[in-house]
Amino acid sequence: SGEVWEIETLRPGRDPMQALATVAQRLVTAGGTPLDDQLAAHDALVRRLREEPGYLGSLLRARSLERGSHILLFVDQLEELYTLVADADTRRAFTAALTGVADDASTPLRVIVSMRADFLDRIAEDPRFMEELGHGLSFLAAPSREGLRDALVQPVEMVGHHFESEAIIDDMLGALAETAGALPLLQFAAAKLWEARDRSRKLLTEASYRAIGGITGALATHADDVVANMSAAQRLLTQKVFRRLVTPEHTRAIVELADLVELGGDAEVGQVIEKLVAARLVVVQTRSDGGGGTAELVHESLIERWPTLRRWLDEDQEDAAFLAQLATAAKQWEARGRPAGL
């Protein structure tokens, strides 16, 4: 006896208030309205939602009363509000409108948002939204090996396909063991394997799995796609960031975010890191004490199996070793109060 209204995924450069206005317009626009009038009404709704954060809630409550039903407003991937929307006022307008829908538990309206845990600290820019979100906060733990297996196998079987052998499944799950961001890695590989499936036999074959390079090969292909869609300036910063995230011994380095910011302008580096985090190539850990955070590569295989990164590292091998030594010496000098003798 209810309805579910889903906010569409945000897109780069698009005002997120337009997504809310689309919901509002469906509630107030009669069928058969001319297109020009619909566009004008849409623009007016965007302005009104900015000026009156409670307006969307009023429209949804009116619909609920009219139909005698409950309404659930679902916003998926809320972290995109922070990765794709640069203007803080626009972000606050969006969260204020959501708060206006869910500000009274006695009404038949409910709001559910999903977002990655490493972005939770970003909601603090809207204290009221943060307070409301805290009342119903629920953490979903990373899936176990069996959970990952279900996520891999069940969708395939639901459409009448099968893996050629258990060895493919075991190899994929083995590559994901103890890996941060296991689900995205599984997604990359599974999507590539599905594209290369044997359609006539409805099989995901060992030959196809070897052809895509397994988990690590799929990740490398994804990483190239991410870099290719950046501007030239962002690609240069990305190259510098990745070099810092790899030690001279070619292992993953855990690097202070403050150190990465020194590679360029604060805003520019921040945008690049957010893109890499959103693309699940870099993991950022924020300290609970508010003392900044750290970044590291999502998977060790990027160093060995991503040709682009290997090329960057080979071009800069001597400089990387010198910079690592210099960084260690600088931290020791700083810790000792910058003595002139050092």
Side-chain angles (χ1 to χ4, degrees):
S1 63
E3 299 176 86
V4 176
W5 293 67
E6 183 171 4
I7 301 299
E8 63 187 73
T9 302
L10 303 175
R11 295 196 296 274
R14 186 174 190 262
D15 185 346
M17 299 304 293
Q18 293 189 25
L20 295 181
T22 298
V23 173
Q25 191 164 20
R26 290 170 59 189
L27 297 170
V28 299
T29 303
T33 304
L35 179 59
D36 288 344
D37 291 345
Q38 289 185 34
L39 294 175
H42 186 83
D43 291 340
L45 283 169
V46 170
R47 291 192 296 271
R48 185 165 184 178
L49 287 170
R50 284 180 174 273
E51 297 166 359
E52 301 178 39
Y55 182 56
L56 180 60
S58 297
L59 292 176
L60 290 171
R61 278 189 286 274
R63 182 182 182 89
S64 177
L65 181 63
E66 174 190 347
R67 301 203 169 195
S69 65
H70 291 72
I71 293 179
L72 169 66
L73 184 65
F74 175 56
V75 186
D76 195 15
Q77 294 181 283
L78 186 66
E79 69 271 7
E80 291 186 346
L81 183 66
Y82 304 98
T83 60
L84 301 180
V85 181
D87 182 58
D89 290 336
T90 298
R91 295 196 300 264
R92 283 191 288 268
F94 186 88
T95 53
L98 294 184
T99 304
V101 176
D103 61 355
D104 186 352
S106 66
T107 69
L109 305 184
R110 295 293 182 268
V111 176
I112 291 179
V113 301
S114 75
M115 69 184 303
R116 286 170 44 191
D118 50 342
F119 280 88
L120 274 175
D121 62 317
R122 302 291 296 273
I123 65 175
E125 70 179 19
D126 184 342
R128 189 181 174 203
F129 181 63
M130 181 173 65
E131 180 183 358
E132 292 293 337
L133 198 63
H135 293 160
L137 193 61
S138 178
F139 287 94
L140 300 179
S144 63
R145 183 183 175 94
E146 282 306 308
L148 288 174
R149 191 184 194 284
D150 289 344
L152 176 62
V153 174
Q154 289 185 7
V156 173
E157 293 181 343
M158 287 174 64
V159 290
H161 286 60
H162 300 280
F163 285 86
E164 187 174 31
S165 73
E166 284 288 324
I168 303 175
I169 301 170
D170 290 340
D171 188 78
M172 295 179 79
L173 296 180
L176 296 171
E178 306 299 325
T179 298
L183 273 176
L185 292 178
L186 182 67
Q187 174 191 346
F188 303 146
K192 295 296 182 183
L193 189 57
W194 176 255
E195 291 170 4
R197 70 191 183 278
D198 185 327
R199 288 171 168 78
S200 62
R201 294 190 294 160
K202 295 188 174 182
L203 276 181
L204 280 69
T205 66
E206 292 190 38
S208 296
Y209 184 59
R210 288 194 297 271
I212 68 169
I215 291 282
T216 55
L219 179 59
T221 300
H222 168 70
D224 276 330
D225 291 341
V226 171
V227 174
N229 287 319
M230 291 181 171
S231 66
Q234 288 177 333
R235 283 196 293 272
L236 181 59
L237 277 177
T238 297
Q239 182 174 343
K240 293 179 179 180
V241 167
F242 272 110
R243 282 172 170 170
R244 286 289 183 92
L245 295 177
V246 180
T247 70
E249 294 76 28
H250 284 196
T251 60
R252 279 191 296 179
I254 300 177
V255 181
E256 297 286 333
L257 288 174
D259 292 341
L260 293 178
V261 168
E262 295 175 359
L263 296 173
D266 193 346
E268 291 80 4
V269 175
Q271 290 175 5
V272 165
I273 292 174
E274 286 192 347
K275 283 179 178 291
L276 297 176
V277 170
R280 310 298 178 95
L281 296 176
V282 169
V283 177
V284 169
Q285 301 290 344
T286 304
R287 295 193 183 92
S288 58
D289 59 7
T294 60
E296 63 179 311
L297 298 181
V298 70
H299 200 276
E300 192 85 30
S301 67
L302 279 170
I303 301 172
E304 297 298 327
R305 300 296 299 274
W306 183 22
T308 301
L309 180 55
R310 292 287 300 180
R311 186 179 72 252
W312 291 343
L313 296 175
D314 290 342
E315 291 171 355
D316 200 34
Q317 182 64 39
E318 291 186 7
D319 287 347
F322 172 72
L323 283 173
Q325 295 168 2
L326 185 61
T328 300
K331 289 183 184 296
Q332 292 173 349
W333 181 59
E334 187 78 33
R336 295 178 186 179
R338 300 187 176 188
L342 293 180

